[in-house]
Amino acid sequence: MSKPLPPAEASWSRRRFLAAGASACVLAAVGPGSASRPPFLELRRAKDLSVVEARFYEKLPNRKIRCKLCPRECVIDDQERGYCGVRENRGGTYYTLVHSRPVSIHVDPIEKKPLFHFLPGTEALSLATVGCNVECKFCQNWQISQVRPEQMEAYEASPALIAELARESGSPTIAYTYTEPVVFAEYMYDCAVEGRKRGIRSVMISNGYIQREAMLELCSVLDAVKIDLKAFTQRFYTELVAGELKPVLDTLKLLVSRRMWTEIVYLMIPTKNDAKQEIREMCRWIVSELGPDVPVHFTRFYPQYRLRNLPPTPLATLRMAREIALEEGIRFAYIGNVPGEEGENTYCPHCHVVLIRRAGYSILENNLRAGRCSKCGEKIPGVWS
């Protein structure tokens, strides 16, 4: 049995939580220092940074450490931080400063992540701390991903409290999302453990830029992962992401080898990663290395952050990419950020009937029966119950 929560934390109703969650997202979106009152009456504002020892690092001479969480392997002097800005060396011991310090908590449809083959039509308690281990010039959440903990008001939310909030809100899943959950890996792990005690699952919405050992540990407590594969060229990762492609591909292969339910999002940016040949090579790699059943979402770009001089992705480009994916053998190719587009739907790869009809984040029709096509009986890969 889980440890009882203090009365103030245990008194959430679903209506109150949803209303408060909406306020929290506003807080996160408007930037540091702009909120004047707590949106959650029961969720306390944090008065300081958390100081929890990190799990993925090695000690070096002269009180230096080497971070082993992501492929950067930052070597950090005493009193300094790594690239992500949320992990600090204090006297030769490495600490995460954002454990139990989310800055955004909300209840989202699972389709918003997007995960289309994971408990469709359900909700996910979604949370983020500040920080990221890359800097995408097209980041949608740069206000919270590209700041340090001192620049954004956070809440005190233990893993047990997060799991309890998920239960109280009727969410069968906790999603670690919005920023990059790799940088708060310890918090994600501990929340997932607490969630499992209550029968709540966990999904990671990530760039996949993580070391193998850390990902393996997370696999033991996660139920699904969505990876943002930002392009299929190192040139793109160098110029627009400040990261590397190969470690992301390695993470995808690792997830599939561990039988983790995995979906891929590919944000199509005009003139940057939308060449036909690049899409075709990526699809061939996915089929050969991951298999044909990993869903791929081609999503529409809108000008953001430091990439505001390009137009939104033309619908014809998205349809072209989906057609290429289907031609190359990917059985579940989707179009995203275009509500009402037929490419949002799930089709049976055998008889081609619509299995799940969507409009944005809403499920209009679900013809799956126990994970199979209700017309021909084809088994559809995914987590359906």
Side-chain angles (χ1 to χ4, degrees), residues 260-302:
M260 177 66 64
W261 181 252
T262 303
E263 300 190 24
I264 294 173
V265 162
Y266 189 89
L267 181 69
M268 298 199 68
I269 303 178
T271 75
K272 299 298 183 183
N273 64 355
D274 60 348
K276 286 185 179 180
Q277 190 57 34
E278 181 179 346
I279 300 299
R280 193 171 297 281
E281 290 175 2
M282 178 185 72
C283 292
R284 288 174 178 171
W285 182 88
I286 290 171
V287 172
S288 66
E289 298 292 337
L290 309 179
D293 289 337
V294 173
V296 180
H297 304 251
F298 297 99
T299 61
R300 182 177 239 173
F301 161 84
Y302 288 95

Side-chain angles (χ1 to χ4, degrees), residues 5-6 44 55 65 85 154 180 211 218 270 325 337 343-344 351:
L5 291 166
R44 290 182 288 272
R55 294 175 193 164
I65 67 95
E180 178 44 60
Q211 291 218 17
L218 287 166
N337 286 347
E344 286 189 312
C351 71

Side-chain angles (χ1 to χ4, degrees), residues 56-354:
F56 307 103
Y57 75 102
E58 62 183 25
K59 296 193 175 193
L60 301 176
N62 302 318
R63 297 197 297 274
K64 292 184 178 182
I65 67 95
R66 176 181 288 111
C67 184
K68 301 291 285 185
L69 179 57
C70 94
R72 292 186 182 282
E73 292 204 352
C74 296
V75 175
I76 305 165
D77 282 317
D78 189 14
Q79 304 302 316
E80 298 291 340
R81 297 183 189 178
Y83 181 93
C84 62
V86 302
R87 307 167 81 82
E88 186 171 280
N89 179 356
R90 296 185 179 183
T93 300
Y94 204 32
Y95 295 97
T96 168
L97 307 178
V98 293
H99 192 288
S100 303
R101 295 293 186 271
V103 297
S104 183
I105 308 176
H106 196 35
V107 176
D108 290 336
I110 196 72
E111 284 76 18
K112 188 177 179 180
K113 303 301 121 189
L115 284 168
F116 278 10
H117 290 230
F118 186 89
L119 304 180
T122 64
E123 294 176 326
L125 180 83
S126 305
L127 65 93
T129 74
V130 299
C132 189
N133 58 351
V134 297
E135 186 184 3
C136 298
K137 292 184 178 179
F138 45 89
C139 182
Q140 298 178 0
N141 293 312
W142 59 271
Q143 296 99 331
I144 53 176
S145 71
Q146 299 301 322
V147 297
R148 291 200 164 202
E150 295 87 344
Q151 295 174 286
M152 179 65 71
E153 290 186 296
Y155 304 103
E156 289 186 16
S158 69
L161 176 56
I162 291 296
E164 191 63 22
L165 294 181
R167 188 183 64 80
E168 290 287 334
S169 69
S171 303
T173 305
I174 302 171
Y176 313 94
T177 179
Y178 303 140
T179 57
E180 178 44 60
V182 167
V183 305
F184 59 90
E186 294 86 355
Y187 185 37
M188 174 166 44
Y189 182 94
D190 292 344
C191 287
V193 169
E194 290 297 328
R196 287 200 167 185
K197 293 177 183 176
R198 295 161 175 79
I200 295 167
R201 303 183 209 193
S202 282
V203 300
M204 173 182 174
I205 310 303
S206 172
N207 61 23
Y209 199 49
I210 183 172
Q211 291 218 17
R212 176 182 175 84
E213 291 70 22
M215 190 69 249
L216 278 173
E217 186 166 326
L218 287 166
C219 281
S220 67
V221 294
L222 295 175
D223 299 279
V225 177
K226 188 219 76 181
I227 295 293
D228 288 311
L229 181 55
K230 298 174 189 294
F232 203 60
T233 65
Q234 181 53 46
R235 171 191 55 76
F236 184 100
Y237 271 82
T238 300
E239 295 177 357
L240 298 177
V241 177
E244 299 172 87
L245 170 61
K246 186 177 183 304
V248 179
L249 300 181
D250 290 342
T251 296
L252 282 165
K253 289 193 287 187
L254 174 63
L255 291 170
V256 171
S257 73
R258 302 295 294 183
R259 299 185 182 277
M260 177 66 64
W261 181 252
T262 303
E263 300 190 24
I264 294 173
V265 162
Y266 189 89
L267 181 69
M268 298 199 68
I269 303 178
T271 75
K272 299 298 183 183
N273 64 355
D274 60 348
K276 286 185 179 180
Q277 190 57 34
E278 181 179 346
I279 300 299
R280 193 171 297 281
E281 290 175 2
M282 178 185 72
C283 292
R284 288 174 178 171
W285 182 88
I286 290 171
V287 172
S288 66
E289 298 292 337
L290 309 179
D293 289 337
V294 173
V296 180
H297 304 251
F298 297 99
T299 61
R300 182 177 239 173
F301 161 84
Y302 288 95
Q304 298 278 348
Y305 192 34
R306 296 183 177 179
L307 204 58
R308 304 183 66 84
N309 61 333
L310 294 175
T313 317
L315 181 54
T317 303
L318 296 164
R319 288 172 174 166
M320 173 272 294
R322 181 169 178 268
E323 285 302 314
I324 290 174
L326 294 172
E327 289 171 7
E328 294 299 332
I330 290 175
R331 301 211 301 166
F332 304 98
Y334 295 101
I335 290 177
N337 286 347
V338 187
E341 167 67 21
E342 66 176 14
E344 286 189 312
N345 301 328
T346 300
Y347 297 88
C348 175
H350 182 254
C351 71
H352 308 296
V353 71
V354 175

